[in-house]
Amino acid sequence: MLTNEHIIEAALDRITAGYVFPEKTAAIEAAIRPRIASGAYEGLGGPELCETVTRHLQEVCPDKHLRLLWTDEPQSLEPVDDDGGIAAFLTLLRAENQGVHRVERLDGNVGLIELRRIATATEGAAAIGAAMQLVAHSTALVLDLRACLGGAPDGAALWNSFFFPEDHDQVHLHDVYDRGTDSTRQYWTSPHLPGPRYADHRRRPVYVLTSEITFSGGEDVAYTLQAHGRAVVIGATTRGGAHPTARHAVSEHTLVTVPAARSISTVTGTNWEGVGVVPDIRVPADQALDQALEEALKAARP
């Protein structure tokens, strides 16, 4: 059985090897290793160990994606099975309808799509296209990301693509720099979509709802649509996690999440890391839908 010291050492090895900002890893080591030596982590149960180490990591490096996570489901420790958490994420998406939690037609012919996850562009295409088909003839659209916990960058780009006109040139949305390959991947709007676009000559209004829970891939959609002037963001400032992340098992029940890349907006030149997405209209998150419906009603008046 692995000791807490072995678990933390394995996590530090993963962070040192993969963290997108290698210049910060020395400070992380300096914050954690003296605590290991002093026995600060001895005797802690698994969930408490994860919570404590995460707190110490984020004290020195306030990156909300950098953390230890406890999982009740046993994880394989075989190197051949380490895929950065991709298989587990795809399984989760299939169980959660590719992140599409609710699609509804509200009073005034306002469409509502509530997302809890951002699926990958390939796995999620059919569900995403179906959701957009159901709101295709609405007069305004509310995209509710208040409980969205993140997801895939290519899926975020697919969602964003629906809000740019078909006759528009492809739009360069943002880039993602990956430390492991020392390369930058560009994300553009897609010319071919699995459902109807929500962008035409009528310029139907789009409102994106956010909360203090909205994170990662959900923030990507909100930030990008806001930066490109394609939606009005309503609600509360989001959590502020802009770094695509890999998950690695360091014990059967402990994962270390390592931000291995960073997003760079083509509009702002930066991202939402640490600051969150700041709404255009700030209201408490539980009032955001009512505010969006009020805005849609005003927009519909002649």
Side-chain angles (χ1 to χ4, degrees), residues 270-283:
T270 182
N271 58 44
W272 58 95
E273 178 64 36
V275 296
V277 180
V278 179
D280 300 296
I281 301 174
R282 296 196 197 198
V283 296

Side-chain angles (χ1 to χ4, degrees), residues 89-91 93-94 97-98 119-128 154 158:
F89 177 60
L90 294 178
T91 299
L93 287 173
R94 291 168 194 144
N97 196 36
Q98 301 300 330
T120 66
T122 49
E123 289 266 335
I128 293 168
D154 65 335
L158 179 61

Side-chain angles (χ1 to χ4, degrees), residues 39-181:
Y41 303 118
E42 291 180 7
L44 297 181
E48 186 182 2
L49 175 68
C50 291
E51 180 181 334
T52 303
V53 174
T54 296
R55 185 173 68 253
H56 293 160
L57 287 170
Q58 294 186 4
E59 283 173 359
V60 67
C61 187
D63 185 327
K64 292 183 175 64
H65 276 112
L66 185 64
R67 51 193 172 163
L68 258 62
L69 296 176
W70 176 261
T71 173
D72 292 328
E73 186 72 22
Q75 306 294 304
S76 171
L77 297 177
E78 294 298 325
V80 69
D81 295 327
D82 184 9
D83 65 352
I86 295 173
F89 177 60
L90 294 178
T91 299
L92 176 65
L93 287 173
R94 291 168 194 144
E96 295 189 359
N97 196 36
Q98 301 300 330
V100 180
H101 184 73
R102 177 169 59 133
V103 183
E104 191 173 343
R105 179 184 175 276
L106 304 176
D107 291 344
N109 195 27
V110 175
L112 170 69
I113 299 176
E114 181 182 351
L115 299 181
R116 298 289 179 91
R117 306 273 180 182
I118 304 298
T120 66
T122 49
E123 289 266 335
I128 293 168
M132 292 304 298
Q133 182 67 61
L134 290 173
V135 301
H137 301 293
S138 59
T139 56
L141 177 63
V142 176
L143 190 60
D144 189 349
L145 302 177
R146 288 176 294 178
C148 187
L149 300 177
D154 65 335
L158 179 61
W159 273 109
N160 287 326
S161 296
F162 283 94
F163 303 100
F164 290 82
E166 186 174 11
D167 58 0
H168 199 293
D169 291 336
Q170 281 185 265
V171 177
H172 186 185
L173 299 171
H174 66 276
D175 297 329
V176 173
Y177 169 76
D178 182 82
R179 178 192 168 185
T181 59

